[in-house]
Amino acid sequence: MKKLFTMVAAFFTAVTMSAATHLQDASNVTLEDPKPTTAPTAPTADAATVLSVYSDTYTAAATFGFCESWGQTTALQELELDGNHVLYYTNFNYLGWQTATPIDASTCTGLHMDIWAAKAGDLSVFPIYGGAGLITDDSKSKVVTLAEGWNSVDFNLATDFAGLDFSSIFQFKFAQGAGQQYAIDNVYFSGYTASAVTYTSLAEVYNLANGD
């Protein structure tokens, strides 16, 4: 009987130690933030009609900082997926992009973004007018409802941001976050047409024709 008791006690001791080991191992596991594993579909718009902000497909129209120090908790990491780079953000509450050379998108009709969301929810997007010597206008925004995964988002500049002057876009703001994870790629203005050059005199036309 004593031998049986000893065997039972040893069994329960071994089970208890095994459970404790598994609990300790579990407590030492660091859970990684969810992130995209594939790139979004590459855009196909004609490069001549695009003013790019961020994309491997197009040459950027200006150099932006993609995680400006605006007091946010958001952290940036650039990922390479399928040979394509994307901007990946964790602990997102809000985010600012900024350039010293504003983009003149006044002849454009749309704004495209590919946005990956770790979970479904809303995100506010603000293109912001301003720059050196100009009064900043950050009053126009559009809330987009995102599904989990990659979302192809197209804004109509005239209706989604009605009244905003697009001749000098120097910032973008993204808001309405609560610690989520997002990835952003292929941000560009679409429908671009080069402004027509006008001449005020026959002399200017003559000089142009003669290479002056």
Side-chain angles (χ1 to χ4, degrees):
M1 186 69 177
K2 183 177 180 181
K3 183 177 181 181
L4 177 62
F5 176 80
T6 300
M7 291 173 64
V8 171
F11 171 77
F12 280 106
T13 298
V15 169
T16 301
M17 290 178 65
S18 177
T21 299
H22 284 298
L23 286 172
Q24 183 176 1
D25 290 343
S27 67
N28 290 331
V29 172
T30 300
L31 297 178
E32 290 191 0
D33 291 320
K35 61 182 61 175
T37 56
T38 59
T41 301
T44 58
D46 186 343
T49 67
V50 163
L51 293 177
S52 180
V53 176
Y54 181 86
S55 176
D56 279 0
T57 302
Y58 306 112
T59 300
T63 301
F64 276 79
F66 294 108
C67 195
E68 295 295 289
S69 299
W70 290 5
Q72 74 277 6
T73 61
T74 309
L76 166 64
Q77 178 185 358
E78 189 172 49
L79 304 179
E80 185 174 352
L81 305 172
D82 305 326
N84 177 75
H85 295 90
V86 304
L87 301 169
Y88 173 62
Y89 296 98
T90 56
N91 202 25
F92 181 93
N93 61 337
Y94 65 92
L95 172 67
W97 294 359
Q98 184 167 326
T99 180
T101 53
I103 292 177
D104 180 357
S106 57
T107 67
C108 295
T109 58
L111 173 63
H112 176 86
M113 298 182 178
D114 289 320
I115 305 175
W116 179 91
K119 60 181 180 180
D122 292 340
L123 183 68
S124 297
V125 178
F126 299 69
I128 301 175
Y129 169 86
L134 300 175
I135 298 175
T136 299
D137 182 1
D138 62 356
S139 64
K140 310 301 181 184
S141 66
K142 177 69 175 179
V143 177
V144 292
T145 298
L146 302 171
E148 183 178 322
W150 281 109
N151 300 260
S152 180
V153 181
D154 286 288
F155 301 96
N156 183 301
L157 301 188
T159 57
D160 291 331
F161 309 105
L164 183 64
D165 185 348
F166 279 92
S167 66
S168 185
I169 299 300
F170 82 123
Q171 292 177 337
F172 289 88
K173 183 171 72 173
F174 302 83
Q176 208 167 327
Q180 304 99 313
Q181 298 82 32
Y182 291 106
I184 303 176
D185 194 11
N186 299 320
V187 180
Y188 58 86
F189 291 100
S190 60
Y192 169 75
T193 56
S195 299
V197 178
T198 59
Y199 300 99
T200 59
S201 69
L202 289 175
E204 286 184 316
V205 176
Y206 174 84
N207 290 337
L208 179 67
N210 288 276
D212 296 333

